[in-house]
Amino acid sequence: IGTVIVHFDQEHKAMIWNKGDEKYYPNGVDDEDYCVLEFQANHGRYYRYDGKGDISANELAKYDKGKEFANYKKK
């Protein structure tokens, strides 16, 4: 559960653009149909082999602390 932010600005669009994306957006980063959806989680539920569990935004923030991401991939 959380919030979705729709980004139409050049900075966000260029951040996740990859070679080959023009297949879907022929005008590149400036394609009027191209935008970036950012999901900010407040909390959630996960499922794995040993059952399910809940996770809070604070727990997510602790996990991400100190990690940098480039082009949505961990450096």
Side-chain angles (χ1 to χ4, degrees), residues 43-46 52-56 59:
H43 63 277
R45 173 163 287 161
Y46 61 89
K52 64 183 178 182
D54 294 319
I55 191 164
S56 70
E59 291 169 310

Side-chain angles (χ1 to χ4, degrees), residues 8-63:
F8 294 100
D9 61 276
Q10 182 75 16
E11 180 182 356
H12 282 90
K13 292 183 348 177
M15 184 184 345
I16 66 166
W17 185 264
N18 287 297
K19 183 178 179 183
D21 288 347
E22 60 278 353
K23 176 180 178 181
Y24 306 101
Y25 301 101
N27 294 323
V29 174
D30 297 319
D31 197 299
E32 63 184 26
D33 290 332
Y34 177 54
C35 66
V36 174
L37 301 177
E38 176 185 358
F39 178 73
Q40 295 179 342
N42 294 328
H43 63 277
R45 173 163 287 161
Y46 61 89
Y47 300 87
R48 61 183 194 188
Y49 65 91
D50 62 349
K52 64 183 178 182
D54 294 319
I55 191 164
S56 70
N58 287 338
E59 291 169 310
L60 290 168
K62 284 180 192 175
Y63 177 81

